[in-house]
Amino acid sequence: MSSSQTEFCHICGTILPLPLSIDIKDQMTCLVCNHTVDVNQFNGITSTTRITFNTRHLIHKSSHTSQDKAEGPVIERKCQKCGHEKQTFATLQTRSADEGQTVFYTCLKCGAQENENS
């Protein structure tokens, strides 16, 4: 049986988690339909996880300053470094869910970055 077929329950199609090496059980039970699967079907199968973080490129570096070059919304906010009146921003939830988001500002003229917890 190929690994792509082994990874799914044959009854309901739910993804089956690979058994841990510390598991001593002979059978695995689907968490949705309770169908049992012989744990030996997983011999030799490995699992790899990859997390890819997107980079934040808020402005394109060029000799021309233009709102068309900005990635993201542009607001009127004075840059603390050069005094330019336009910045782009992005928001992320960097703290716990019950707290406000963090706003990252980037000046469209000089590229200076600031952040603010809201």
Side-chain angles (χ1 to χ4, degrees):
M1 186 173 290
S2 73
S3 65
S4 62
Q5 294 172 343
T6 306
E7 297 169 359
F8 299 93
C9 175
H10 299 287
I11 304 300
C12 68
T14 299
I15 297 174
L16 296 172
L18 290 175
L20 301 173
S21 60
I22 59 173
D23 286 344
I24 304 174
K25 302 174 189 172
D26 293 333
Q27 298 283 324
M28 220 178 130
T29 303
C30 174
L31 299 174
V32 174
C33 72
N34 294 322
H35 174 69
T36 58
V37 178
D38 183 2
V39 78
N40 290 321
Q41 290 184 356
F42 293 93
N43 284 343
I45 295 177
T46 59
S47 177
T48 305
T49 301
R50 178 177 45 192
I51 300 172
T52 304
F53 294 98
N54 296 328
T55 56
R56 288 190 311 112
H57 295 287
L58 298 177
I59 63 170
H60 296 286
K61 301 281 183 185
S62 72
S63 59
H64 299 92
T65 301
S66 168
Q67 185 169 334
D68 296 335
K69 301 274 186 212
E71 290 183 14
V74 176
I75 60 168
E76 290 185 17
R77 177 182 164 103
K78 188 173 184 177
C79 175
Q80 297 295 321
K81 185 175 179 183
C82 73
H84 187 66
E85 295 287 336
K86 295 209 184 255
Q87 294 188 18
T88 187
F89 72 94
T91 61
L92 291 171
Q93 187 68 35
T94 58
R95 299 174 290 157
S96 63
D98 63 340
E99 297 184 40
Q101 62 191 356
T102 302
V103 184
F104 296 90
Y105 298 98
T106 303
C107 177
L108 289 174
K109 183 176 180 183
C110 71
Q113 295 183 342
E114 306 168 21
N115 64 31
E116 176 180 287
N117 292 320
S118 62

